[in-house]
Amino acid sequence: RLSGPIIKNKLLYFVNFEYENAETPGNLWVADNGTNTGQPNVSATKQSDLEAVSNYLKTKYGYDPGAYQGYSPTYNNGNIKGLARLDWNINEKNNFNIRYSYMVGTNDQGTNGSSGPSPRSSNSRISDKSMAFENANYALKSTVSSIAAELNSRFTSSLFNQFIVTYSRIQDTRSTPGSLFPFVDIGDGGTDPTKFNNYMSFGTELFSYNNDLINKNLIVTDNLTYVLGNNTFTGGLSYQSMFFGNSYQRLGSSYYRYASVQDFLADAHPIAYGITYVNQGQDRYAKVDFGLAGIYVQDKIALGDRFNLTL
């Protein structure tokens, strides 16, 4: 942080910067290569199956699902914060200050554990029984920025005014690695239609494509105060504007489920699917706008050293 005068006793500044990063355990599971079966952190998913599916996707669809192990041994969860402020003593009767703050935080996440069509998988997509390719993961990003300005004026010893304007913008969005591709779950070959045991997953994460939330707020307030004897009169005007925009496309790039690796490689019919179409170049947000204006007058009466009455 750094602060000091730009003009002595007239114009002052303050700036502050913070950076923080935390690492948490990521995907520590490795595939069964035939020599490590049953060892700690070894999944039931066979390396030969993962290699076969990866090669098939690259050859037939030109899609790279990413690595299946050794990626993100740690997830990075960090944030950057900044603050800047100016205080201006305009003259003996007026002073002004303005403040701007900014924060951005990121949080890496593994793909959703088991959500999907019924029946849901009895085990997580990243576990001792299943593995997901790297490009099936997602990341959360939160951005907050705000600006506030305040002007205080003293016209006489008993009449003064306060004018405040604040604006804030908050955005929470999700991003996905790799190119856009349907999300696919592959089972372990079980034949019971009432059960599904996940064995392998890849594609664009089910709930992250075009997932975005925006919140904007503007507040303007002006208060004029007059002191007369035991009475403190305040008259004010206020306006508040709020905007919310939500973009959420479940299964945004479509979803397919196959009973086994063999079925997928043989182009057999999926056992479940959901076909959706991505929203390109259109307004995909559900929106709400809200505005509230107010006018008010109050009188704070000092009826004694221990009792005040506000009307």
Side-chain angles (χ1 to χ4, degrees):
R1 60 173 59 93
L2 189 65
S3 65
I6 299 174
I7 302 175
K8 186 177 180 180
N9 297 327
K10 188 79 171 179
L11 186 62
L12 312 172
Y13 76 92
F14 174 82
V15 292
N16 184 78
F17 175 80
E18 298 177 27
Y19 170 76
E20 178 183 4
N21 187 65
E23 294 184 348
T24 58
N27 178 23
L28 301 179
W29 295 101
V30 297
D32 185 344
N33 61 18
T35 64
N36 59 0
T37 306
Q39 295 180 12
N41 293 348
V42 175
S43 176
T45 309
K46 296 186 180 299
Q47 182 173 322
S48 57
D49 288 339
L50 291 161
E51 292 283 357
V53 168
S54 179
N55 292 334
Y56 182 78
L57 291 170
K58 294 174 183 177
T59 302
K60 182 168 183 176
Y61 298 106
Y63 172 69
D64 184 358
Y68 55 81
Q69 66 184 24
Y71 65 85
S72 297
T74 57
Y75 292 139
N76 290 314
N77 306 308
N79 64 73
I80 296 173
K81 298 173 186 162
L83 171 69
R85 174 175 171 135
L86 282 175
D87 285 270
W88 180 21
N89 297 318
I90 302 171
N91 51 45
E92 292 182 355
K93 295 185 176 181
N94 296 276
N95 62 74
F96 174 80
N97 68 75
I98 187 169
R99 182 201 73 235
Y100 175 76
S101 62
Y102 178 82
M103 187 280 289
V104 58
T106 57
N107 191 344
D108 295 334
Q109 298 285 328
T111 190
N112 180 278
S114 62
S115 292
S118 181
R120 291 176 61 163
S121 174
S122 59
N123 54 275
S124 177
R125 292 184 173 98
I126 303 176
S127 65
D128 59 339
K129 295 181 174 61
S130 177
M131 293 189 69
F133 286 87
E134 181 179 16
N135 289 343
N137 293 339
Y138 69 97
L140 300 172
K141 182 179 180 180
S142 179
T143 306
V144 180
S145 59
S146 69
I147 186 168
E150 179 177 352
L151 175 64
N152 289 284
S153 302
R154 190 177 71 254
F155 304 116
T156 68
S157 60
S158 58
L159 180 64
F160 46 93
N161 190 79
Q162 181 188 50
F163 179 71
I164 302 174
V165 178
T166 63
Y167 174 79
S168 64
R169 187 182 190 276
I170 304 169
Q171 183 172 15
D172 294 304
T173 189
R174 292 166 70 149
S175 60
T176 56
S179 57
L180 188 65
F181 198 79
F183 194 87
V184 178
D185 282 328
I186 298 177
D188 62 0
T191 57
D192 186 348
T194 65
K195 295 181 180 180
F196 180 76
N197 301 315
N198 213 77
Y199 180 71
M200 187 188 306
S201 299
F202 57 85
T204 302
E205 209 273 335
L206 286 170
F207 309 104
S208 296
Y209 180 73
N210 278 346
N211 189 332
D212 194 19
L213 180 64
I214 298 174
N215 178 6
K216 295 186 285 187
N217 294 275
L218 172 67
I219 302 174
V220 181
T221 305
D222 187 78
N223 290 321
L224 181 66
T225 301
Y226 179 63
V227 179
L228 179 62
N230 293 334
N231 297 273
T232 302
F233 299 99
T234 301
L237 299 171
S238 68
Y239 177 73
Q240 182 174 7
S241 172
M242 291 177 284
F243 168 83
F244 303 94
N246 185 21
S247 172
Y248 178 66
Q249 298 179 11
R250 183 175 181 266
L251 313 183
S253 60
S254 297
Y255 172 81
Y256 295 87
R257 175 184 285 179
Y258 290 86
S260 65
V261 171
Q262 291 71 28
D263 280 2
F264 175 73
L265 296 177
D267 281 335
H269 292 302
I271 58 175
Y273 64 92
I275 299 177
T276 57
Y277 298 90
V278 296
N279 195 339
Q280 300 281 12
Q282 300 180 35
D283 190 348
R284 63 183 189 269
Y285 291 85
K287 299 178 180 178
V288 175
D289 281 295
F290 177 78
L292 176 66
I295 181 171
Y296 46 89
V297 177
Q298 79 170 30
D299 179 18
K300 182 179 179 182
I301 309 169
L303 298 178
D305 294 337
R306 301 185 180 184
F307 187 75
N308 291 322
L309 176 64
T310 302
L311 303 175

